[in-house]
Amino acid sequence: MTTAAPSLSDVAPAAAAETILAVNNIEVVYDHVILVLKGVSLTVPKGGIVAILGANGAGKTTTLKAISNLLHAERGEVTKGTVEFEGQRVDKLTPNDLVRRGCIQVMEGRHCFGHLTIDENLLTGAFTRRDGNAAIKRDMDMIYDYFPRLRQRKGSMAGYTSGGEQQMCAIGRAMMSRPKMILLDEPSMGLAPQVVEEIFEIVRTLNEKEGVSFLLAEQNTNIALRYATYGYILETGRVVMDGAADALRENEDVKEFYLGVAGADRKSFRDVKSYKRRKRWLA
Ligand SMILES: Nc1ncnc2c1ncn2[C@@H]1O[C@H](COP(=O)(O)OP(=O)(O)OP(=O)(O)O)[C@@H](O)[C@H]1O
Ligand SMILES: [Mg+2]
């Protein structure tokens, strides 16, 4: 009997397409003692959009930071498992080296430099590049084409722009490193539904037109499963379920616990308890 999480589809994304990112059974410990990720595995196909879903504290941010090697700043460490980007081990690289290879994280809370203009913020995203000012200028124009709102605000200090514009600025800045893959942490956080939709539409466009693969962490299961093709549900540091986005959206337990949909035959508390027991089995 295996303890692996149930998969809702027979074909894992890795089997269907070339894999750009593979996380293999990683364990993460903070402060040498706090075990937060307990054997997380996931894959992102080249050109895919994959979501990591889960409630507060499930381990979504920790998973992204483990991939992008940003855990050291948090006194965190990957103590087991491996991370492969384009088939090569990257778990011992610095975050900058990983950016040079084409994988970059957009942090939770859309960290822009508040005292710099939108234009200057975008420019800071090009710091790992060596291909000259003309190419950088071309890419700035491209970013403004994808984010017309940023073009309007290009001379404004980022700190005075709206939350949605700051999120766009953070994604645009990441795009300036010419990434093959973006790790996007909680893009919907604190934003109005319409703005969230606008941002996810741009993510989809960047994915389709620029071929950027995305791994996004979201508490907002509903929107994430509309734009991602595949999802992993994390609970207390473990993947408890994964599957194609459509299959997850139709799954009764996902509907009940993550989409907030209660059908006519709303589950009784006893069912809920048995679900929790089942989850312990899965864990
Ligand atoms: N630097 C740290 N030191 C110790 N524990 C931490 C640290 N950062 C996170 N944790 C703990 O690790 C667990 C996972 O946190 P993480 O931030 O990865 O969750 P999350 O799924 O991103 O949650 P949220 O939706 O709130 O952003 C939580 O229990 C959290 O308290
Ligand atoms: Mg988080």
Side-chain angles (χ1 to χ4, degrees), residues 60-62 108 185-186:
K60 303 181 296 297
T61 298
T62 303
E108 191 171 52
D185 198 355
E186 214 75 62

Side-chain angles (χ1 to χ4, degrees), residues 28-211:
V28 168
V29 174
Y30 283 114
D31 289 321
H32 299 291
V33 287
I34 310 164
L35 179 62
V36 169
L37 294 191
K38 303 152 188 166
V40 168
S41 296
L42 59 88
T43 57
V44 179
K46 196 160 185 253
I49 302 181
V50 171
I52 304 178
L53 307 163
N56 272 134
K60 303 181 296 297
T61 298
T62 303
T63 304
L64 294 188
K65 285 187 173 168
I67 297 166
S68 54
N69 294 307
L70 287 168
L71 280 177
H72 285 294
E74 309 261 347
R75 299 173 54 83
E77 202 186 343
V78 178
T79 47
K80 254 193 210 156
T82 60
V83 179
E84 288 166 35
F85 183 67
E86 296 189 307
Q88 295 188 326
R89 286 277 297 267
V90 292
D91 39 79
K92 300 285 185 284
L93 296 184
T94 64
N96 282 0
D97 284 337
L98 194 60
V99 172
R100 280 193 193 94
R101 293 221 194 162
C103 182
I104 187 164
Q105 177 160 352
V106 175
M107 308 270 261
E108 191 171 52
R110 42 186 184 264
H111 292 262
C112 295
F113 299 108
H115 57 289
L116 298 183
T117 64
I118 294 285
D119 214 51
E120 289 163 343
N121 266 280
L122 293 184
L123 209 51
T124 64
F127 79 101
T128 53
R129 289 174 57 168
R130 303 274 177 272
D131 53 352
N133 289 342
I136 289 172
K137 169 77 176 61
R138 244 193 339 267
D139 284 358
M140 298 273 282
D141 285 341
M142 176 194 79
I143 306 278
Y144 286 132
D145 289 344
Y146 283 119
F147 297 93
R149 274 220 224 185
L150 291 186
R151 179 169 274 133
Q152 288 165 13
R153 308 298 311 269
K154 68 196 282 189
S156 309
M157 287 229 282
Y160 294 128
T161 62
S162 72
E165 285 158 357
Q166 288 183 32
Q167 182 67 69
M168 291 175 193
C169 178
I171 298 172
R173 190 177 59 191
M175 281 298 294
M176 284 304 294
S177 70
R178 290 198 146 266
K180 297 171 186 160
M181 169 158 213
I182 294 181
L183 311 171
L184 191 50
D185 198 355
E186 214 75 62
S188 76
M189 195 161 77
L191 301 178
Q194 217 177 333
V195 181
V196 172
E197 205 74 49
E198 200 179 327
I199 284 167
F200 271 82
E201 280 295 331
I202 296 172
V203 165
R204 179 184 278 163
T205 309
L206 292 172
N207 173 255
E208 288 174 358
K209 298 248 169 75
E210 300 297 323

Side-chain angles (χ1 to χ4, degrees), residues 211-265:
V212 180
S213 308
F214 282 88
L215 177 61
L216 47 97
E218 259 302 340
Q219 277 194 38
N220 187 335
T221 308
N222 190 9
I223 190 138
L225 289 182
R226 276 197 289 116
Y227 286 88
T229 50
Y230 203 89
Y232 291 85
I233 298 181
L234 270 188
E235 277 182 16
T236 53
R238 287 194 172 94
V239 176
V240 291
M241 194 180 278
D242 68 297
D246 292 347
L248 287 177
R249 285 173 69 182
E250 293 309 314
N251 180 275
E252 290 303 321
D253 291 333
V254 176
K255 276 190 196 166
E256 171 102 357
F257 288 92
Y258 293 98
L259 294 171
V261 180
D265 56 340

